[in-house]
Amino acid sequence: KELLAMQIASIHNLAFYLWLVGEARKHIIEGDFMHWKKAMVEQGEDDFKKNILYLFLTKIYSSELIG
């Protein structure tokens, strides 16, 4: 069981959340939070769809799952 991978993932996640909260604060101060939030949600949905498609194409059609 590799603990380093979990530690690296945790550090990455914390860094992302710190960045996200910092950006949200900046946009609240600038007065354009709702516009920024909408753009971030749309970008996240696009990234999610791309990741699902990637997983589908690499795992479903790979020899390890088809047999």
Side-chain angles (χ1 to χ4, degrees):
K1 296 180 181 179
E2 182 62 54
L3 296 178
L4 180 60
M6 290 184 278
Q7 290 175 328
I8 292 171
S10 293
I11 291 168
H12 175 270
N13 290 339
L14 289 171
F16 171 75
Y17 282 118
L18 287 172
W19 171 83
L20 184 64
V21 170
E23 287 294 305
R25 182 177 191 272
K26 179 177 84 174
H27 288 281
I28 289 168
I29 291 168
E30 292 174 357
D32 66 343
F33 175 78
M34 295 306 289
H35 174 74
W36 173 81
K37 177 189 166 196
K38 183 179 181 210
M40 289 298 290
V41 169
E42 289 172 358
Q43 178 183 341
E45 289 172 352
D46 289 344
D47 290 347
F48 178 76
K49 290 174 187 172
K50 288 175 191 171
N51 288 336
I52 293 299
L53 179 61
Y54 172 79
L55 287 173
F56 178 76
L57 292 175
T58 58
K59 298 297 180 189
I60 301 301
Y61 288 112
S62 72
S63 60
E64 63 190 51
L65 289 182
I66 293 177

